[in-house]
C-alpha cells in the first residue's frame, strides 16, 4: 500500500520543516518501503519569495500567499483538497521575532506586547478547525521565557481546549547531528490523547552553556566535517567583510569575537569589555558547530568563516558563509533551490527549521503513530549513517 498522508503547513517560509516532513523516513522505512508517507498538501505564508522557494522544491504542494489572520481555515482545507479531520499532520513555526533574544532591545518585545505574538492564536485556531491527527509547532526557545509566560500558557491551554495533549521540549540542533548550536522549542500533540515522547540526543559536545561531554554519544558535527565534498566556489564580493571594522574582523582568530580587541586579549585595545552583542565580529571554529545563523544579520554580525580571503586590493579580509555552506549548516539538501537575491536567501535560511532536526521530531512522531517502522536506537542509527559516508 502506497500511503499518501496529507500535511497542512502554516508559516511555511522556504519549507525547512516541509522538507523534513517529506524526508522523515530516509532511509525508506515505511510499511511498504516507499519512503516518507507524508506529503504537504497545502502551505501558507505571507512571504511570496519564500513560497516561490517552496514551489521550486515541492511543485506538488498547493501554496496560499496571504495573512493567516485573514485566511479562513476552510480556504486552507479546500486548497489542499481536504476536509476537517483529513490531515495527518499540521506543522508550522509562527514568526519568532516577538520571542527572539535578538529583539529584546525593543521594549514591546521584551514585555511580550508585540502584536505578532497573536499569530500563535491563529495556529491554534487552524488546529482546532482543521482537526489534524497531530501537530508540530516550532519556535525559538525565548517563547518559554518568563517574559512570555502569558502567551505560552495561552498557547498550551488553547491546544488542550482543541482536544490535544501538547508536550514541549527545547532541543539543541547539534545534539541531533546538525552542525549548528541552535536551540528551538517544539510543541507536539496528538488528537488521540497519547503523549508524544521526544527523541533522545544522539550527539554530544561542548556548547555555549554546557561543558560536560557524554562520550557514549557521537561527537558534535563540526563545520569542516559538514563542508566536506563542497566544490570550491568563487566568493562573491558582497560576502567579503569590508568597511569600518574590516581590519579588526580579519584579525579575530577562529572562535573569538570583538572581545579579542579589548584590553583582556591579544588584539587591539579598541572595544570595552562586554560592550557589544556576542555575535559582533564572531568567527566560526572549523571543528565545532556553528552558532545560530541569523536571518537578518548586521554587517558586523557573525559567525564569519574561520579562513580569511584576499579582496581585490590584496588585503586580508573575513568572509561570510556562502549559500552552499549555509545550506550545509542548516542541513538542507545540496540540490535545494532558493528564490530571490543573496539577502533574501539569507533571510529564508535564517528563519528556517534545520531539516535534520525537523526530521528527527517528525520521524519520532510518525513512528509512535505507527506510520513508519521504528528504526535502530538513535545513536546506533546515527553511527551507521556516519559510517556509510566514510
Amino acid at each position: 500500500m502506497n500511503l499518501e498522508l496529507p500535511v497542512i503547513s502554516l508559516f511555511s517560509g522556504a519549507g525547512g520543516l516541509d522538507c523534513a516532513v517529506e524526508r522523515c523516513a530516509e532511509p525508506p522505512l515505511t510499511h511498504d518501503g516507499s519512503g516518507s508517507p507524508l506529503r504537504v498538501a497545502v502551505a501558507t505564508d505571507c512571504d511570496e519569495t519564500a513560497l516561490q522557494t517552496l514551489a521550486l522544491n515541492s511543485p506538488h504542494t498547493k501554496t496560499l500567499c496571504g495573512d493567516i489572520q485573514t485566511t479562513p481555515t476552510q480556504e486552507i482545507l479546500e486548497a489542499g483538497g481536504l476536509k476537517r479531520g483529513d490531515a495527518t499532520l499540521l506543522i508550522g513555526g509562527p514568526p519568532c521575532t516577538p520571542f527572539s533574544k535578538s529583539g529584546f532591545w525593543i521594549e514591546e518585545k521584551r514585555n511580550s506586547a508585540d502584536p505578532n505574538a497573536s499569530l500563535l492564536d491563529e495556529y491554534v485556531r487552524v488546529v482546532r478547525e482543521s482537526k489534524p491527527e497531530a501537530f508540530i509547532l516550532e519556535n525559538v526557545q525565548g517563547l518559554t521565557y518568563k517574559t512570555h509566560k502569558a502567551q505560552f500558557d495561552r498557547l498550551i491551554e488553547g491546544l488542550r481546549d482543541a482536544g490535544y495533549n501538547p508536550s514541549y521540549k527545547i532541543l539543541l540542533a547539534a545534539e541531533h547531528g546538525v552542525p549548528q548550536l541552535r536551540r528551538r522549542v517544539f510543541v507536539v500533540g496528538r488528537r488521540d490523547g497519547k503523549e508524544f515522547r521526544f527523541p533522545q540526543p544522539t550527539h554530544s559536545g561542548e556548547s555555549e552553556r554546557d561543558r560536560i561531554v557524554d562520550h557514549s554519544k557521537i561527537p558534535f558535527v563540526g563545520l569542516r566535517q559538514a563542508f566536506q565534498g563542497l566544490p570550491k566556489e568563487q566568493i562573491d564580493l558582497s560576502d567579503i567583510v569590508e568597511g569600518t571594522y574590516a581590519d579588526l574582523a580579519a584579525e579575530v582568530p577562529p572562535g573569538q569575537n570583538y572581545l579579542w580587541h579589548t584590553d583582556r586579549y591579544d588584539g587591539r585595545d579598541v572595544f570595552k569589555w562586554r560592550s557589544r552583542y556576542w555575535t559582533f565580529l564572531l568567527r566560526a571554529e572549523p571543528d565545532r558547530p556553528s552558532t545560530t545563523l541569523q536571518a537578518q544579520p548586521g554587517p558586523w554580525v557573525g559567525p564569519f568563516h574561520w579562513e580569511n580571503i584576499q579582496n581585490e586590493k590584496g588585503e586580508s579580509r573575513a568572509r561570510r558563509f556562502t549559500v552552499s555552506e549555509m545550506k550545509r549548516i542548516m542541513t538542507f539538501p545540496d540540490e535545494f533551490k532558493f528564490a530571490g537575491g543573496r539577502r533574501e536567501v539569507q533571510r529564508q535560511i535564517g528563519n528556517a527549521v534545520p531539516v535534520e532536526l525537523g526530521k528527527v521530531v517528525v520521524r519520532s512522531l510518525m513512528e509512535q503513530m505507527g506510520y513508519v517502522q521504528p528504526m535502530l536506537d538513535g545513536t546506533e542509527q546515527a553511527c551507521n549513517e556516519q559510517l556509510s559516508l566514510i
Side-chain angles (χ1 to χ4, degrees):
M1 180 176 65
N2 187 15
L3 297 174
E4 283 277 321
L5 306 177
V7 177
I8 297 170
S9 173
L10 308 181
F11 312 102
S12 308
L17 198 49
D18 301 59
C19 185
V21 157
E22 299 200 346
R23 291 171 176 257
C24 76
E26 293 180 343
L29 291 172
T30 54
H31 292 310
D32 64 345
S34 63
S36 174
L38 298 169
R39 293 292 179 271
V40 179
V42 56
T44 71
D45 203 287
C46 62
D47 185 340
E48 186 172 346
T49 303
L51 287 183
Q52 290 172 3
T53 292
L54 193 147
L56 285 173
N57 298 280
S58 301
H60 59 274
T61 298
K62 174 68 176 179
T63 59
L64 284 177
C65 187
D67 185 349
I68 190 67
Q69 294 174 304
T70 58
T71 304
T73 303
Q74 187 58 36
E75 182 179 345
I76 298 173
L77 290 171
E78 289 176 358
L82 304 172
K83 302 187 298 295
R84 174 181 166 91
D86 280 354
T88 299
L89 186 60
L90 185 145
I91 61 173
C96 62
T97 307
F99 316 110
S100 173
K101 288 192 294 185
S102 63
F104 264 40
W105 62 277
I106 303 175
E107 183 177 2
E108 67 175 12
K109 298 184 188 298
R110 190 168 57 249
N111 295 330
S112 206
D114 191 311
N116 286 330
S118 64
L119 294 177
L120 292 171
D121 298 325
E122 299 302 323
Y123 186 98
V124 173
R125 184 255 302 176
V126 180
V127 168
R128 183 179 63 249
E129 295 176 356
S130 65
K131 214 63 177 176
E133 286 188 55
F135 67 83
I136 297 175
L137 182 148
E138 177 271 349
N139 216 293
V140 294
Q141 65 169 335
L143 176 59
T144 63
Y145 291 174
K146 290 181 180 179
T147 48
H148 304 306
K149 187 177 187 303
Q151 277 84 356
F152 190 66
D153 287 350
R154 188 171 73 245
L155 168 68
I156 298 300
E157 191 60 34
L159 292 168
R160 285 187 181 131
D161 289 345
Y164 296 81
N165 62 333
S167 302
Y168 70 91
K169 187 175 184 178
I170 294 171
L171 302 181
L172 175 60
E175 291 185 336
H176 298 277
V178 176
Q180 187 176 181
L181 297 170
R182 190 182 189 100
R183 297 180 189 272
R184 288 297 185 267
V185 62
F186 283 82
V187 185
V188 183
R190 295 173 56 167
R191 191 177 64 198
D192 61 11
K194 294 183 180 179
E195 182 180 2
F196 174 67
R197 302 181 305 280
F198 278 92
Q200 294 300 307
T202 54
H203 295 64
S204 182
E206 291 190 2
S207 69
E208 71 282 6
R209 65 179 66 172
D210 299 317
R211 295 292 181 264
I212 300 176
V213 178
D214 184 348
H215 293 287
S216 69
K217 292 183 170 59
I218 305 165
F220 280 169
V221 178
L223 292 176
R224 196 196 313 269
Q225 178 183 351
F227 293 168
Q228 285 181 358
L230 277 179
K232 199 79 173 177
E233 57 185 316
Q234 185 71 30
I235 304 300
D236 192 275
L237 291 177
S238 63
D239 287 338
I240 299 176
V241 180
E242 296 283 11
T244 307
Y245 301 112
D247 290 337
L248 297 178
E251 294 169 8
V252 173
Q256 297 286 346
N257 60 5
Y258 78 96
L259 294 174
W260 181 255
H261 294 300
T262 66
D263 59 5
R264 302 194 188 189
Y265 282 93
D266 295 334
R268 309 186 203 184
D269 185 5
V270 175
F271 303 107
K272 292 182 179 180
W273 184 256
R274 293 185 177 174
S275 60
R276 306 275 180 143
Y277 280 112
W278 173 254
T279 52
F280 190 74
L281 305 187
L282 177 64
R283 302 296 294 271
E285 293 182 76
D287 297 317
R288 299 192 69 230
S290 170
T291 55
T292 298
L293 292 183
Q294 296 189 25
Q296 296 176 301
W300 316 113
V301 172
F304 301 127
H305 198 282
W306 60 90
E307 292 180 346
N308 283 334
I309 190 172
Q310 286 192 336
N311 64 11
E312 292 180 314
K313 297 179 181 179
E315 299 166 319
S316 184
R317 290 289 183 260
R319 72 167 177 87
R320 298 171 180 85
F321 290 117
T322 65
V323 171
S324 296
E325 291 166 342
M326 287 192 292
K327 286 197 291 186
R328 286 285 182 94
I329 294 172
M330 290 293 290
T331 59
F332 276 100
D334 287 345
E335 66 272 17
F336 198 90
K337 301 179 178 65
F338 285 92
R342 174 64 170 77
R343 186 183 297 271
E344 290 175 312
V345 171
Q346 169 103 32
R347 176 177 54 78
Q348 293 174 63
I349 291 176
N351 283 331
V353 180
V355 174
E356 290 301 315
L357 179 61
K359 278 174 60 176
V360 167
V361 177
V362 176
R363 167 138 202 153
S364 184
L365 177 59
M366 289 299 99
E367 285 182 3
Q368 293 172 41
M369 293 176 69
Y371 287 120
V372 300
Q373 297 173 356
M375 60 180 178
L376 301 171
D377 168 78
T379 303
E380 185 179 354
Q381 173 70 19
C383 282
N384 288 348
E385 289 176 356
Q386 288 206 352
L387 286 172
S388 69
L389 299 175
I390 297 175

